[in-house]
Amino acid sequence: MGATMQLVVGLAGVASSSPRLAPPCAVATPARAWPALAACRLAPACCCGAAHLPRRLQHKQQRRCGIRVHAVETDAAAGGEAEAAPEEPPSVDFAFVAPRLLPDGTPDVHYRTACGGQKLRDIMLDNYIDLYGPYDKLLLNCEGGGECGTCIVEVVEGGELLSPKTDVEKELLKRKPKTWRLACQATVGNPDSTGQMVIQQLPEWKIHEWDK
């Protein structure tokens, strides 16, 4: 129950019990480069197996895996000028860790990418990430009002991207670890922010402990 394990969240593998499709503005994609983190062991898998990703992300994945992509020059007289690929907007990469391990003992990690300047609660709900667990009932949570304290998350990495704790958080979380935040109160950077975050879902229900 309180076992300490090691989690290596990286481009080489993604463990997920139920892959889900995210909205177009927040495509589910492996993060750019995740550091080695303490808690659980992520099973390795080939990062090149990204056939389920959109074509733009497949190309991006191939570049990260060392696959060379050659551009073919087109004849302007015959087929017109080649269109330049649009530049990707700034975004923040997330690794959301579920509180329970998968049957094989590896962590259930879901990768997402979203624009900054939003509440962490909105990013999680828009990307179909479990936020409330057993508290997901009208009579148990305030639906983002900052009154019930049921949207607690643990910020394992990337806490510097979040806004400072509000007075509401300080009051409701005064007896909780400093790394715990209310997702409805924490804003992730601004629209120009980039970086990586590792978020533990439902920390009160997790079966493993993060090394500090």
Side-chain angles (χ1 to χ4, degrees), residues 52-71:
H52 64 285
L53 297 177
R55 186 175 301 275
R56 177 177 63 85
L57 294 178
Q58 290 184 34
H59 292 166
K60 186 176 181 181
Q61 189 80 333
Q62 290 172 350
R63 289 197 300 272
R64 290 173 182 164
C65 296
I67 299 176
R68 296 183 179 179
V69 179
H70 297 280

Side-chain angles (χ1 to χ4, degrees), residues 106-175:
T106 59
D108 186 3
V109 182
H110 298 265
Y111 295 102
R112 299 291 188 269
T113 298
C115 298
Q118 306 179 69
K119 295 290 187 183
L120 182 57
R121 172 185 184 271
D122 296 333
I123 291 176
M124 294 179 69
L125 295 181
D126 289 346
N127 284 277
Y128 310 108
I129 300 297
D130 188 14
L131 175 60
Y132 293 114
Y135 308 113
D136 193 14
K137 301 186 185 309
L138 292 177
L139 298 179
L140 291 179
N141 72 71
C142 62
E143 307 243 329
E147 300 176 358
C148 65
T150 60
C151 63
I152 294 177
V153 296
E154 181 178 358
V155 182
V156 181
E157 285 287 327
E160 68 279 359
L161 289 171
L162 294 181
S163 57
K165 284 186 178 180
T166 64
D167 292 337
V168 172
E169 287 184 281
K170 292 177 181 178
E171 177 63 26
L172 292 178
L173 302 177
K174 59 185 177 182
R175 296 182 179 180

Side-chain angles (χ1 to χ4, degrees), residues 13-20 42 96 102 106-112:
V14 177
S16 176
S17 60
S18 55
R20 303 185 179 97
L42 186 61
F96 294 102
L102 295 173
T106 59
D108 186 3
V109 182
H110 298 265
Y111 295 102
R112 299 291 188 269

